[in-house]
């Protein structure tokens, strides 16, 4: 049976990935520190499943990671664990350096030491896949798209910490021969997304009748990737990617933030009309922009398509419809993850 060590598997993308992988017959060792962003409720359906072992711990705890590797002998390690929210990195960059840089280094050292002990056939087949972001490339003007050769130019403490982790992963391949793969993806959306991020935040606030905060003029452009498409891309890169390579993953769905908010309002108006019958677009409020807000990200994912045959299966319209329905059907999950420390308030203003 194939075994993967997944880090950050109680978070948004890692959680979706773990649920799908276990359903596909993979045994998962799930290492997660359960920060505010980690939610075991996402994994409720795996309770009692012998193919899923949850371990509460830090990726930077080299001794813990080494013992998990020695005991479970995984065929691959997939690193999703990170501090992931740009606004939080503005308020407190230190945690981002600690997990995304120092933590990733600890993980890499433990994985390298384990990999060196493997018999030749298992060492050849072993992979470490590091999940990263398109934000490492900086910001774009009206035209152009990020390719795998775009120079790194991270603008936020979050993207700078992810860029550093990508460089460490690359260095462990070049220096020690560790068989690594890196994926740089655009903005994910879908089920189990912590409600501080744009799409689940807007759904929650729209349903609560609150104002819908749109940063600046709302014309910042992001490419939106449905999380199930992303998980499939990661499995594809893991299975077929060339060792030492990086692959961009995108959704072919560039949207202005204001267009995303308007789409959510239209879907909610149709599915759950407001008592007064008016549109939720009336709740939209423009607020001060995020400091240093990148204007546009766009991904060229043709390497992944041409080399490995992966393309996103969901259009934005399909994915956002599914996502809105999921949040309407899973209000209990949303309420359960909103503990006392985060209640949809604005952060990251540098005020
Ligand atoms: P998330 O914040 O929802 O989840 C991160 C998970 O990592 C949480 O469960 C948290 O508890 C865990 N974690 C944090 N620090 C840890 C540590 N030191 N040790 C072990 N576990 C720790 O993030 P996400 O949105 O699921 O993102 C997953 C990965 O994908 C991240 O590396 C992120 O940088 C990258 N990424 C995300 C997006 C996106 O749109 N969400 C886009 C591009 C790249």
């Amino acid at each position: 049976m194939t075994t993967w060590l997944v880090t950050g598997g109680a978070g948004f993308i890692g959680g979706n990935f773990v649920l799908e992988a276990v359903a596909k017959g993979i045994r998962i060792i799930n290492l997660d520190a359960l920060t505010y962003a980690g939610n075991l409720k996402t994994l409720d359906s795996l309770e009692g499943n012998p193919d899923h072992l949850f371990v509460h711990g830090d990726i930077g705890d080299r001794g813990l990671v080494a013992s998990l590797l020695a005991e479970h002998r995984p065929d691959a390690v997939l690193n999703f664990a990170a501090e992931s929210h740009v606004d939080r990195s503005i308020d407190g960059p230190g945690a981002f350096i600690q997990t995304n840089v120092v933590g990733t280094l600890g993980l890499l050292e433990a994985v390298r030491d384990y990999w060196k002990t493997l018999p030749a056939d298992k060492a050849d087949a072993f992979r470490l896949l590091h999940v990263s972001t398109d934000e490492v490339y900086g910001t774009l003007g009206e035209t152009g798209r990020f390719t795998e050769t775009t120079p790194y130019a991270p603008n936020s403490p979050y993207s700078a910490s992810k860029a550093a982790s990508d460089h460490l992963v690359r260095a462990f391949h070049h220096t020690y021969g560790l068989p690594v793969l890196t994926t740089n993806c655009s903005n994910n959306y879908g089920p189990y997304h912590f409600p501080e991020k744009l799409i689940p935040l807007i759904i929650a606030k729209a349903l609560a009748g609150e104002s819908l905060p749109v940063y600046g003029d709302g014309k910042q452009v992001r490419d939106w990737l449905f999380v199930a498409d992303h998980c499939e891309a990661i499995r594809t890169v893991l299975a077929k990617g060339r060792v030492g390579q990086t692959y961009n993953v995108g959704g072919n769905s560039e949207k202005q933030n204001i267009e995303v908010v308007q789409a959510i309002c239209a879907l909610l108006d149709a599915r759950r009309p407001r008592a007064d019958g008016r549109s939720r677009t009336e709740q939209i409020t423009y607020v001060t922009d995020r400091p240093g807000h990148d204007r546009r990200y766009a991904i060229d994912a043709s390497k992944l398509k041409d080399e490995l045959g992966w393309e996103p299966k969901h259009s934005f319209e399909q994915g956002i419809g599914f996502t809105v329905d999921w949040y309407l059907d899973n209000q209990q999950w949303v309420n359960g993850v909103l503990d006392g420390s985060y209640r949809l308030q604005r952060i990251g203003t540098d005020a």
Side-chain angles (χ1 to χ4, degrees):
M1 188 175 192
T2 301
T3 300
W4 294 341
L5 173 66
V6 171
T7 73
F12 164 46
I13 305 173
N16 278 279
F17 185 85
V18 166
L19 291 172
E20 289 183 20
V22 172
K24 289 178 184 300
I26 311 287
R27 183 165 167 264
I28 298 293
I29 314 302
N30 185 351
L31 174 64
D32 195 296
L34 294 180
T35 68
Y36 78 95
N39 291 295
L40 286 177
K41 289 181 207 333
T42 301
L43 306 166
D44 269 354
S45 63
L46 298 179
E47 188 140 0
N49 189 324
D51 293 341
H52 177 247
L53 175 70
F54 182 79
V55 180
H56 185 197
D58 197 302
I59 54 166
D61 183 342
R62 201 170 151 184
L64 172 66
V65 176
S67 71
L68 291 175
L69 294 167
E71 183 182 348
H72 300 288
R73 322 258 325 142
D75 304 283
V77 173
L78 295 109
N79 185 29
F80 293 88
E83 288 292 336
S84 72
H85 189 38
V86 176
D87 285 345
R88 282 181 193 264
S89 81
I90 294 168
D91 287 350
F96 288 70
I97 301 303
Q98 197 53 45
T99 282
N100 301 355
V101 186
V102 181
T104 301
L105 175 63
L107 178 76
L108 284 166
E109 290 186 298
V111 172
R112 174 202 59 198
D113 294 349
Y114 161 73
W115 170 70
K116 281 188 179 161
T117 68
L118 294 174
D121 55 336
K122 208 162 166 175
D124 279 352
F126 181 84
R127 299 286 182 270
L128 176 130
L129 189 147
H130 175 64
V131 178
S132 191
T133 170
D134 61 355
E135 299 190 28
V136 297
Y137 300 122
T139 187
L140 291 165
E142 296 290 310
T143 58
R145 292 190 294 168
F146 300 131
T147 72
E148 290 79 0
T149 57
T150 302
Y152 274 32
N155 287 324
S156 71
Y158 162 67
S159 53
S161 68
K162 291 297 290 186
S165 68
D166 294 6
H167 291 320
L168 284 169
V169 169
R170 177 188 159 87
F172 268 64
H173 174 60
H174 283 268
T175 305
Y176 307 108
L178 188 66
V180 304
L181 297 155
T182 297
T183 54
N184 295 85
C185 68
S186 55
N187 278 33
N188 282 226
Y189 68 103
Y192 304 111
H193 205 177
F194 191 78
E196 67 184 351
K197 303 279 174 81
L198 179 70
I199 288 178
L201 179 80
I202 294 298
I203 296 172
K205 284 187 173 283
L207 288 173
E210 294 177 19
S211 63
L212 308 179
V214 172
Y215 292 180
D217 63 4
K219 292 190 176 154
Q220 307 84 358
V221 174
R222 302 289 180 262
D223 173 62
W224 290 94
L225 172 63
F226 189 55
V227 67
D229 285 333
H230 184 202
C231 291
E232 188 187 54
I234 288 173
R235 291 192 299 271
T236 303
V237 172
L238 185 63
K240 301 195 278 184
R242 284 186 291 135
V243 166
Q245 294 286 311
T246 69
Y247 293 90
N248 282 351
V249 190
N252 292 339
S253 295
E254 273 188 54
K255 299 277 170 212
Q256 294 181 348
N257 286 346
I258 186 66
E259 293 174 324
V260 172
V261 174
Q262 285 164 343
I264 294 169
C265 288
L267 287 163
L268 287 175
D269 287 347
R271 284 152 163 83
R272 295 278 166 90
R274 252 171 50 165
D276 62 7
R278 301 173 76 96
S279 172
R280 288 183 172 85
T281 51
E282 292 184 1
Q283 291 165 230
I284 292 173
T285 312
Y286 291 91
V287 298
T288 317
D289 208 352
R290 168 191 281 166
H293 206 176
D294 286 340
R295 195 67 184 163
R296 176 170 168 263
Y297 305 137
I299 279 264
D300 178 346
S302 54
K303 178 175 172 184
L304 189 47
K305 183 178 173 200
D306 296 345
E307 272 191 25
L308 309 184
W310 176 89
E311 274 187 288
K313 292 202 172 76
H314 297 84
S315 67
F316 182 74
E317 288 65 33
Q318 290 168 323
I320 196 68
F322 182 92
T323 302
V324 166
D325 285 339
W326 188 89
Y327 279 91
L328 288 173
D329 293 343
N330 291 276
Q331 282 299 298
Q332 252 188 321
W333 180 90
V334 177
N335 296 333
V337 302
L338 289 177
D339 66 6
S341 60
Y342 178 71
R343 308 216 62 90
L344 309 178
Q345 74 273 27
R346 176 90 194 258
I347 52 177
T349 56
D350 192 31

